[in-house]
Each structure stands twice: as structure tokens, then as C-alpha cells.
Amino acid sequence: AVDGLPVIALHGTPGFGLKFGFASAEARSKGITLICPDRWGYGRSDAPKSEEQTLARYASDLEELADQQGHNHVSLLAVSGGGPFAVATAAHLKARVPALGLVAPVGPIVSAPNEGERTIAEMTPFHHFCFRVLPRVPGALETLFAGFGMLARRAPDLAMAVATARAAPADRKLMRNEAERRGQAKVFGGGLAGSSAGPAIDLRIFSRRWNVAFDDILAATQIWQGLADRNVPVAAAKRLARDIEQAQFFPIEKAGHCWIAENVGQVLDWFAESSKRQR
């Protein structure tokens, strides 16, 4: 068991548990303990067989983690590509998850079964290529991210220049800070050091229907979304806020994908306040 309010924090695509290292001290000061696993295929984490790579299976894995650590209740924080996995876990664990916080999450890309097979988000050609085309090309994602991971480890400044080439102005401004730039490159490179399986799994999952029972989510839910974000489809995040009935959508004008890097205290405060309200 851990001291403080337990919050499982799920990193984005790509990345690994070190993503939240910058927030651990502030979290402890607010009575929160962050539990930061490497998601499937990232860092030191293995992945199940391809036919078992589903959001439902991942939710079961996090349930086992919570059980092993002795947590009857555990909140969930996720950024970007960690979002779908956190949402599925909240639906699976129901009342065991008191709070669900999502920052710039990947929302549902494909419609619900009763809406027909169509892309629901107002996606740019870039997003359509990433979420609907690339996942269908055998080996494309593994090759692309293996090369990027090597670049992040060997030439971090160049890697971040590539990663932010089409990013929001706020994100490009943040990456002018050397510490932020090198830290992000370390997260990307470290997450892809073992293999490039993680992002390939993510994007294949994102390109399919989630098959999540949103009505089973009982957690207080907050979604923070920069309206200038170019990394994830903003329309899909808005759809997610509609799918989760009790979700509060917090739009942030001019903010990009990396908003949490400078505003993690605001997110942690929300978890702390949510905990107080539920006592």
C-alpha cells in the first residue's frame, strides 16, 4: 500500500511511467501518491497476444494492479493516448474509481455500433492518416516509432523538432525551454527503448470502436482540453465529454497538447478537492 490518495497515472503515446516524474513532489505535497505504470509495450512492460490487446483486457490488468497494492478505491489520471485506457478502467471498476481526470485525451474516433461504421471526429487529414490509415498498414507503426525512438535517444533536439513540427504555437514555445525539450525526449526515447510495440498497440486500439459501457462510469470526471491542440482531435475529446454523462469539459483557449507540463498543480488540486467532497 502507499501513503496518500492513490492515483494511477497513465502516460501518452509514446512514453512510459517516467512521464509523471516531474509531478511526484507536488503530488505528495497535496496528499496524493501517483502510481505510474508503463503501459503495454512501453518501457519495461510486456504486452499480451494481439487478440487480447483490447481496452477491456487492459482494464482487467489495472484492476489486478490495484488489488495487488491493496487499493479498494483508486483514482485515474491520463494524458493523451492514456485516455482510452483510463476510461475503460473507470467503466470496469465502477464505484472503485472515485475520480477520473483526462488531459488532452484521445477520444472515440469510430462511432458507436448503433451509429454505423463511420469516423465521428472532425479530423484533419493528418489525424485521419494517423488514426485510420497507418494502423492498417502492416509494420508501418513499428518501423516509424522505432526510428523516432532511436532519434530521441541519439539526437533529442532534432527529435523534438520533428515531433513539434506541426504542434500548436503554445507547445512549440514550451519546447524552446531546454529542460522541457530534453525531458520530453527522454520520455519518448525511454518508452521506445525496448521496442516500438506500445504505440502500434495504441493506434490499432484507437482506430477501432472502444466497446466501453460509458454508463458504468461513476467517477467524478473532468476533461481538460486545449482548444489549439493539434496532436489529438479536439472534436473527439468533446464527444468523450458527451459520452460520459457526468463529465465536466474544461476548454482552454490557445492551449496546446502539452498544457499539463505547466499546469499540473491545477489538475492535482482537482483530485485533492474531489477526494474531500467524497469523504
Side-chain angles (χ1 to χ4, degrees):
V2 298
D3 295 327
L5 174 70
V7 176
I8 294 178
L10 300 181
H11 61 80
T13 306
F16 69 131
L18 183 66
K19 162 74 179 178
F20 295 97
F22 79 101
S24 59
E26 185 167 2
R28 286 194 298 271
S29 73
K30 299 177 186 294
I32 295 170
T33 296
L34 296 178
I35 304 163
C36 308
D38 298 341
R39 292 196 291 103
W40 286 341
Y42 291 106
R44 296 170 294 177
S45 177
D46 295 327
K49 297 177 181 179
S50 58
E51 63 270 19
E52 298 177 353
Q53 293 169 6
T54 65
L55 292 177
R57 166 64 191 273
Y58 190 82
S60 294
D61 283 1
L62 281 197
E63 179 181 25
E64 184 177 347
L65 174 64
D67 290 344
Q68 287 176 349
Q69 297 200 352
H71 301 308
N72 188 43
H73 295 89
V74 62
S75 293
L76 296 167
L77 164 63
V79 298
S80 191
F85 298 90
V87 170
T89 302
H92 177 67
L93 293 181
K94 300 181 177 67
R96 290 186 66 181
V97 178
L100 170 65
L102 307 170
V103 183
V106 172
I109 302 300
V110 181
S111 58
N114 62 350
E115 296 175 329
E117 178 71 27
R118 61 187 178 86
T119 302
I120 63 169
E122 300 164 9
M123 294 201 295
T124 64
F126 172 79
H127 288 139
H128 183 84
F129 180 71
C130 291
F131 290 107
R132 299 294 277 156
V133 177
L134 266 182
R136 298 176 180 178
V137 180
L141 292 166
E142 289 87 347
T143 300
L144 176 66
F145 280 98
F148 178 69
M150 184 179 298
L151 189 65
R153 292 186 295 276
R154 297 184 178 180
D157 288 342
L158 178 57
M160 293 314 300
V162 171
T164 58
R166 61 175 304 280
D171 292 334
R172 293 200 301 272
K173 180 180 179 181
L174 179 66
M175 288 304 121
R176 293 190 195 113
N177 180 296
E178 183 176 3
E180 291 285 355
R181 186 171 64 250
R182 294 296 177 92
Q184 189 74 292
K186 185 176 182 180
V187 168
F188 288 163
L192 296 169
S195 77
S196 55
I201 293 169
D202 285 356
L203 284 162
R204 289 182 187 122
I205 286 175
F206 302 160
S207 71
R208 305 192 297 257
R209 289 185 179 127
W210 289 13
N211 294 323
V212 169
F214 295 107
D215 290 346
D216 287 343
I217 297 175
L218 305 178
T221 304
Q222 175 97 339
I223 300 174
W224 294 265
Q225 179 62 59
L227 297 183
D229 192 339
R230 296 176 184 171
N231 290 53
V232 299
V234 174
K238 292 179 178 178
R239 170 61 184 259
L240 182 58
R242 295 194 297 272
D243 287 338
I244 302 173
E245 183 177 356
Q246 72 278 17
Q248 298 295 313
F249 185 79
F250 186 74
I252 311 159
E253 293 287 344
K254 298 182 180 180
H257 195 64
C258 301
W259 171 85
I260 192 174
E262 297 180 303
N263 297 277
V264 69
Q266 182 175 330
V267 175
L268 295 173
D269 283 341
W270 179 81
F271 277 99
E273 288 301 318
S274 295
S275 176
K276 291 178 183 177
R277 287 195 295 270
Q278 292 166 19
R279 287 173 185 168

